[in-house]
Amino acid sequence: MNKVYFTKNINSDSLINIFKHLNVELKGKVGIKVSTGEEGSQGYLKQDLIKGLHDLVNGTYIECCTAYDGERTTYEDHIRVAREHGFNDCDILDKDGDILLEVDGKHLKYDLVGKNIENYDSFINLAHGKGHAMGGFGANLKNQSIGFASRSGKAYIHSAGKLTDASILWENIPEQKDFIESMAEACLAVKNYLDKNNKQIVYITVINYLSVDCDCDSHQSKPVMDDIGIIASTDPVSNDQAFYDLIMNSNDPGKSKLLERINTRFGEHILEYAESIGVGSREYELVNIDEEKN
């Protein structure tokens, strides 16, 4: 059974500590997949929290351009916003185009990810766990699917395999469950690519600023729950399941608003579908590292 490590402490030292508990020595050039945050958003992970981990692994923050028309649609705008948000060391993976990763999915036959993914040997999928207007919630699975996808790849996932032209995407939105399943299939495409090329990846989710909206929303709403902590695993499905369970089991009355967002978007479905196609397992053991003896 996969272990999911948990700490309620959200600070630079605890982030480094939980990463070390994974006992994975990342090799070569390390890409740290983050959301740099849309201009105007507040929930994206800040440098005072994550820079220590970045420096520890000598990593590079990595991102891709967005499918929606915002301030991160083009490389020039995205890199500007990234730097404004403190991500001075950031590689926009689809700056030079994308590559096709085959996947035999119900909806997707391939995934389009930023070409510069080829330049990295190891990855930290460093997600901010929160709600999401389209996916219900966003954590490691969303960060591996939509997050690694190029602008065209995002359009392909959002349209459940119907098109790659982002300019006509929003007039061609599929059934919600088809979109959720497409995200899981894109996760599988990335997983298969990493496995085939012997590239490592670990998964960390910071559960703070629990808005019902994503960091891609320039008008992101205020948090509806108190911060919960940080979780980490070598399995993205286990880590996202733990995120969902921590919300479900919370005594915070604000969880009803977040669960409403998740449930009305069939957000939990990504967990069962991702498990069914081999992305990972929903079964896990939660290990509270705060309870360890010094």
Side-chain angles (χ1 to χ4, degrees):
M1 184 180 295
N2 295 315
K3 289 185 177 181
V4 173
Y5 296 95
F6 168 77
T7 175
K8 68 178 181 180
N9 301 308
I10 303 177
N11 57 55
S12 178
D13 289 342
S14 63
L15 182 62
I16 290 172
N17 186 29
I18 204 168
F19 166 72
K20 288 182 176 179
H21 273 75
L22 294 175
N23 197 29
V24 175
E25 185 176 351
L26 298 178
K27 62 187 179 184
K29 188 174 182 180
V30 180
I32 304 175
K33 177 63 192 70
V34 293
S35 169
T36 51
E38 182 59 40
E39 189 169 83
S41 69
Q42 299 297 321
Y44 61 91
L45 300 178
K46 308 302 191 295
Q47 288 301 304
D48 60 353
L49 173 63
I50 66 176
K51 189 177 185 299
L53 177 61
H54 167 278
D55 293 349
L56 176 71
V57 300
N58 192 27
T60 300
Y61 297 121
I62 56 175
E63 258 276 43
C64 282
C65 291
T66 63
Y68 63 83
D69 291 330
E71 293 301 318
R72 297 184 300 155
T73 303
T74 66
Y75 167 76
E76 291 77 14
D77 284 341
H78 197 157
I79 201 69
R80 172 183 58 79
V81 173
R83 288 170 179 167
E84 288 173 357
H85 288 176
F87 297 93
N88 295 318
D89 171 27
C90 188
D91 181 6
I92 308 302
L93 294 183
D94 56 344
K95 174 187 176 182
D96 300 313
D98 48 34
I99 59 171
L100 187 149
L101 310 181
E102 292 184 355
V103 63
D104 185 19
K106 180 165 61 172
H107 308 285
L108 305 187
K109 299 307 174 189
Y110 56 85
D111 185 22
L112 295 169
V113 302
K115 185 178 187 301
N116 286 356
I117 193 175
E118 296 178 316
N119 298 336
Y120 296 87
D121 305 294
S122 305
F123 299 89
I124 299 176
N125 181 330
L126 180 57
H128 170 218
K130 69 286 177 190
H132 193 277
M134 297 193 71
F137 75 93
N140 289 131
L141 291 172
K142 178 183 177 292
N143 202 33
Q144 185 153 310
S145 56
I146 299 295
F148 274 97
S150 65
R151 177 168 163 81
S152 296
K154 287 178 171 65
Y156 189 62
I157 298 167
H158 272 289
S159 66
K162 301 299 189 297
L163 55 86
T164 59
D165 185 350
S167 69
I168 58 173
L169 166 61
W170 308 112
E171 291 78 44
N172 292 276
I173 296 299
E175 293 293 324
Q176 179 64 10
K177 281 191 175 181
D178 292 348
F179 162 58
I180 295 293
E181 291 174 356
S182 296
M183 281 201 293
E185 291 174 3
C187 284
L188 180 61
V190 173
K191 177 184 183 299
N192 290 344
Y193 164 79
L194 298 178
D195 289 347
K196 179 181 179 181
N197 291 279
N198 296 313
K199 294 175 185 278
Q200 301 167 289
I201 187 166
V202 297
Y203 301 91
I204 303 175
T205 295
V206 179
I207 313 173
N208 69 347
Y209 202 95
L210 281 160
S211 169
V212 299
D213 298 318
C214 180
D215 304 334
C216 59
D217 192 331
S218 61
H219 301 289
Q220 187 177 30
S221 62
K222 296 294 184 182
V224 295
M225 295 179 64
D226 290 337
D227 296 349
I228 291 178
I230 306 173
I231 52 176
S233 178
T234 57
D235 185 305
V237 180
S238 292
N239 225 46
D240 272 22
Q241 183 68 56
F243 166 78
Y244 180 80
D245 291 343
L246 286 165
I247 302 297
M248 282 287 295
N249 297 327
S250 171
N251 294 321
D252 191 320
K255 75 177 185 181
S256 61
K257 294 180 180 178
L258 187 52
L259 289 173
E260 179 184 22
R261 173 57 59 92
I262 294 172
N263 294 335
T264 55
R265 273 66 169 183
F266 302 105
E268 190 184 5
H269 182 54
I270 197 172
L271 301 170
E272 57 191 9
Y273 187 74
E275 182 181 55
S276 74
I277 62 175
V279 177
S281 173
R282 297 177 74 179
E283 297 294 322
Y284 67 93
E285 174 192 359
L286 191 68
V287 180
N288 188 339
I289 65 175
D290 298 337
E291 297 175 353
E292 294 177 344
K293 294 181 179 179
N294 294 327

